[in-house]
Amino acid sequence: ADASGSGFGESLLIRGKIHYQIGTWATEEETNSSNWREFENLVSGMDEAGKKGWLQGAVVILATDNSVVKRNYLI
């Protein structure tokens, strides 16, 4: 997952198939800090995958280049 500038994206490898989402932030979200956008991107991606049932029995590896987000999701 990554969120930088006005864009975001994440990808998931599930049962050998890659699922991805890319987009741009809404104006009100774009004004939030880069740490917020990076964390929101990870959380919303996992939330959507969970709602689709993709995470049952899965090993989840979260990857980010943002050290603030990394420290927070490890807690």
Side-chain angles (χ1 to χ4, degrees):
D2 195 24
S4 56
S6 61
F8 65 88
E10 78 254 352
S11 61
L12 298 166
L13 176 62
I14 301 167
R15 296 178 193 92
K17 185 176 179 185
I18 297 174
H19 301 266
Y20 67 93
Q21 177 177 326
I22 57 173
T24 56
W25 296 108
T27 303
E28 56 275 356
E29 293 170 322
E30 197 174 283
T31 61
N32 289 322
S33 72
S34 61
N35 292 328
W36 181 92
R37 291 188 311 249
E38 187 89 18
F39 201 58
E40 173 64 18
N41 188 39
L42 281 169
V43 170
S44 65
M46 290 293 94
D47 187 47
E48 287 298 312
K51 288 177 182 176
K52 293 176 181 177
W54 292 347
L55 301 180
Q56 290 204 341
V59 173
V60 176
I61 300 170
L62 297 175
T64 179
D65 61 354
N66 184 299
S67 61
V68 172
V69 171
K70 189 178 199 178
R71 280 193 303 271
N72 280 288
Y73 75 67
L74 291 175
I75 294 175

